[in-house]
Structures are given as structure tokens and as C-alpha cells.
Amino acid sequence: MPPLAVAEIDLDGPDGEVLSLRPAPGGPPLGEGGVYALVRLRGRPAATVLAQVRTGEDPAEVLAEAFRAEWAVRKRRNAQGRSAEHRARAEPVPPPCAERPTPPPPRATVVVATRERAAPLARALDSLLAQDHPDFRVLVVDNAPLTTATRDLVQGRYAGRVDYVQEPVPGLAAAHNRGIAAARGEVLAFTDDDVVADPHWLTALTEPFAADPRLGCTTGLILPARLTTPAQILLESHGGFAKGFTPRLYDPAAPPADEPLFPFTAGSFGSGANMAFRAQVLASVGGFDPATGTGTPARGGDDLYAFVRVLSAGHRLRYTPGALVWHHHRETWQDLRNQAYGYGAGLTAYLTAILVRRPALLPSLLWKLPRGLAHARAITAHRAGPDAGTTPGTSTAPGAHGAQAHPWPRSLSRLERRGMLHGPLGYLKARLRTRGSRS
């Protein structure tokens, strides 16, 4: 798998001219070879394209033509009778001029939990401090530190601009809960130390709270910052962390017809590297379960647990693709193996956490659980299929590094299933450990 350059191209509409082309934040300059690009329509994320740039070709024109070709295919399919729901999912969102003005975003705190990763943390903090949001703070939670590297970085280079707290109990959820206790503002946003945030990220992520008093949570778009190793390319060719380019509202009062397992299909709502909560709502559901998340035997599931708790309490969740972060995927094959196992473990760990901590959801969960597990297994099996990894609004140019070119290895599917078997036990171990740390 040869490496791919990652870029952003901005077009003046689906059939319009190129407004700008630039490498993804921190990426190398564009040249010949494979390019994975985010397509913006007048600044708004609309799709991704994969194209091959040959010697002497203009990368901007190659990428623009790849998108226009895919756009023409979509229009033909829609004209042949595709359903309105599919059209809404497949077509990029309209340009900003088609939208009504929104109220100013509420005051926010961005919580970044980290552990012994000072170099990537600095990269993330630089992008967070460049946000165009009018009123926010950044809070770093140093989780079970072994050295003073994180504290020295924050209190040195970022003194007065970034707040710092420590959480001695290891685990991402415990660190997030410490952030909740120390944060200020109406909205709490969460991201990771391995992202670079788009300058408009926080504004786009928090604006919906001002417009919708029933909104409890928002999530956003996550795209790869680099695609230089086979592990990174394989992960992204099968969907990565992206959830498409169409805004979507999840409302427990009107469950989505296309998700019969709602709200237990929490993985479709978003990911923990790009999420925000109304502070009052997050506090009312008890925050994150400290026995879930990276750094615990549960291996994950802290974000999924929070999504379901917020929805089951009657609040809405909105997916907002305009809120973009660039994620630095893990680079090695072993990293991808660990990730696959952790995904499976986190899924069943969060389901176990819901059962243990929210018994009132037990009847619904038990009724939907067999279908939920079958759904999860189908997802891992589907990755090896010809259409695996495609997401609404994502276009793949001919000959690109897509799912057909890179089938999802059966060994990784087996690891995910093994993780699913481990998840409940891992959660119970973490829960006992958490209780012991409090005594």
C-alpha cells in the first residue's frame, strides 16, 4: 500500500471552480501519487475523494474532476428513482447561504485528557487555541502521570492560556469526569491529544446547543491527518471514524426508522475524539462511567455509554459534520490489532455498563441485545465485502485505495469478536478496581 497525501480542496459548488487546495494540517506538500482529499463546498465539508495524480498533472483539477464525476453519478442515480432518504444521506449539504442565521455559540470548555504524550498534545493545543469560538477555555487533564512532562508543557509554553488538572485514577472516563468537575461553561467539548482541530470546529460543534434547548449532545466529523502506513490506509479505507457528511438529529421521541436498535447502536452517533455535551445534561446522567474507556480493562466504550445515557434520558443528539478534526491514526499493524480488539471490548463493555448502572433500560436492552450483537458481527464481516467502508457522502475515484482494493483481514474481525467476549468481564474488573481506588 503506497502512502497517500492528505489534502483539502474547496469548490464553488458541485460543478464550480476550485477556490483553494492545500495539504491537511501538518501534512507534506502535494505532488504526484495518490491523494485523499476532503472536498469542501464554499468552505463546508461535503465529501472525500481519492485520486491518482500523475507527473505534470494539476492536483487541484484531478481532485475536482474526481468529485464532479462522482457527483454526476449521484445525480443519475437520484434521477432513476432513489428514495428521498437516500438522497438526503448521499448528497453533500447545501452551501452556507442556504441556511438560516444561528444564535452565537454558548460559552464552552474543551477537555483534553492525556497521558505521557507531550509532543502530540502540543500539536493539538496549538489547533485548539486557534479556534474562532468567541468564549472558551481549554483544560488538560493529566491522567495518572508517570512524569512531569505534561504539566511542564502546559504550565510552561501554555501558561495562562490552558488550564491544567491531574486525575490519579487511570482511565479515559475517570479523566473526563475530572474534567467535568473542573470545567466552566454551558457546554463541555471533548477531544483527544492526537487530533488537529479545524479552526471552526468548536463553533460548529457548540452552535446547535443555542438553537435547540432539547439538545444534550453533539458529535462531529473525524478525518485522517496522515495516510502514510498500511495500517492507517486499511483503517480509513473501511470507514475510519467518519460518519458521513449529512447532519443528522437523533431524537428519542422519534426514533430513526433505519436504526431499529436505537439507541443501542451508539457507535453510529459519533466518537469520543469529537463530542460535546450540555454541561447540565451530562451532570444529570452522572457523567462517564469510570469503569469504561481506554486505560481500563474495559478497553473502551466510555463515549458510547455517555451517548446512550443522554438519549435514554430524553435528550437529543446531533451529528454535525461541519465540526471537523483531523485524527492521527495509529501507525503500526500491532496498533491496528489492538484497536480492533478494543473496539469489540468497548462495545460489550458499554452495554454491560448500561445494564449495571441503568437497570430501567434492561427490558429494552435484553430485547434488542441479540440483534445488536448480530449487527456488530455483521459490521465486521461486511468490511470484507465489495461495498465495505463507504459512508454517505464519500466518493471513491477509480483505482483509489478503497475497500475493494484492501479487504478487511479476517484476523482483525476475529480479534473484534474476541474483544466482544472480553468486554463484560473487563468492565466488571474495571468496576471492582475503581471501587478499590475509592476506598
Side-chain angles (χ1 to χ4, degrees):
M1 298 183 194
L4 294 168
V6 181
E8 304 180 71
I9 184 170
D10 196 3
L11 303 178
D12 185 19
D15 301 310
E17 63 180 8
V18 176
L19 299 178
S20 67
L21 173 67
R22 57 187 176 276
L30 299 179
E32 62 181 76
V35 181
Y36 171 102
L38 166 67
V39 178
R40 296 179 184 263
L41 298 182
R42 298 182 186 174
R44 295 199 58 185
T48 55
V49 294
L50 287 156
Q52 193 74 22
V53 179
R54 296 174 177 83
T55 303
E57 291 183 325
D58 180 359
E61 283 305 315
V62 171
L63 293 167
E65 283 305 313
F67 174 72
R68 290 166 188 151
E70 177 65 20
W71 178 258
V73 170
R74 292 181 193 173
K75 289 198 295 186
R76 285 197 299 270
R77 288 176 178 172
N78 291 339
Q80 292 169 358
R82 286 279 182 127
S83 68
E85 180 181 359
H86 180 89
R87 289 198 300 271
R89 284 174 166 272
E91 292 182 4
V93 294
C97 60
E99 294 188 345
R100 292 177 296 178
T102 57
R107 185 184 185 197
T109 293
V110 181
V111 178
V112 185
T114 187
R115 188 170 193 258
E116 303 301 335
R117 288 166 52 86
L121 175 62
R123 180 181 59 206
L125 291 178
D126 287 342
S127 72
L128 293 173
L129 292 173
Q131 294 297 299
D132 62 10
H133 191 287
D135 187 6
F136 74 100
R137 291 290 297 175
V138 177
L139 171 65
V140 168
V141 182
D142 197 359
N143 187 213
L146 300 174
T147 71
T148 64
T150 299
R151 184 185 65 191
D152 294 343
L153 173 72
V154 175
Q155 295 182 347
R157 186 192 305 184
Y158 300 101
R161 297 186 293 160
V162 175
D163 299 325
Y164 172 89
V165 294
Q166 282 191 15
E167 170 51 54
V169 176
L172 186 57
H176 281 168
N177 285 339
R178 181 70 180 90
I180 295 171
R184 297 164 291 177
E186 182 183 343
V187 173
L188 306 181
F190 297 86
T191 192
D192 293 343
D193 60 13
D194 53 4
V195 310
V196 174
D198 181 82
H200 192 59
W201 166 71
L202 186 59
T203 297
L205 193 65
T206 57
E207 273 181 341
F209 291 99
D212 183 358
R214 286 192 53 206
L215 194 63
C217 176
T218 58
T219 60
L221 177 64
I222 303 174
L223 293 179
R226 286 177 174 269
L227 292 172
T228 57
T229 72
Q232 292 174 329
I233 294 171
L234 181 63
L235 176 63
E236 195 58 36
S237 70
H238 291 273
F241 299 96
K243 309 300 179 185
F245 292 87
T246 302
R248 188 158 191 197
L249 179 66
Y250 295 94
D251 188 347
D258 61 337
E259 294 197 16
L261 306 179
F262 179 85
F264 300 112
T265 50
S268 65
F269 307 149
S271 299
N274 192 352
M275 61 184 182
F277 298 85
R278 198 180 299 275
Q280 183 179 4
V281 169
L282 190 56
S284 71
V285 300
F288 298 88
D289 186 329
T292 60
T294 304
T296 72
R299 304 290 291 269
D302 53 309
D303 50 352
L304 308 184
Y305 171 86
F307 296 157
V308 173
R309 286 291 285 114
V310 166
L311 287 164
S312 64
H315 305 282
R316 292 170 170 169
L317 183 153
R318 180 175 290 277
Y319 172 66
T320 307
L324 166 67
V325 299
W326 300 89
H327 182 263
H328 285 261
H329 295 351
R330 299 296 185 260
E331 297 182 354
T332 70
W333 178 252
Q334 186 58 48
D335 290 333
L336 191 57
R337 287 174 54 84
N338 294 341
Q339 205 164 18
Y341 185 87
Y343 285 162
L347 171 66
T348 52
Y350 109 78
L351 290 172
T352 305
I354 289 292
L355 188 152
V356 170
R357 296 177 66 95
R358 197 69 175 93
L361 295 176
L362 179 59
S364 176
L365 178 59
L366 289 180
W367 181 70
K368 295 178 178 180
L369 185 57
R371 295 169 65 194
L373 294 176
H375 175 73
R377 292 190 62 180
I379 290 175
T380 62
H382 182 61
R383 283 181 174 147
D387 296 322
T390 57
T391 55
T394 303
S395 54
T396 304
H401 293 257
Q404 296 184 35
H406 307 299
W408 188 254
R410 294 183 182 274
S411 61
L412 294 182
S413 295
R414 287 194 295 269
L415 276 172
E416 287 186 75
R417 292 193 288 270
R418 284 174 54 191
M420 290 168 64
L421 294 174
H422 166 83
L425 179 61
Y427 172 75
L428 295 175
K429 285 183 177 179
R431 189 170 171 84
L432 290 174
R433 185 177 299 179
T434 302
R435 284 182 174 179
S437 69
R438 292 176 177 174
S439 61

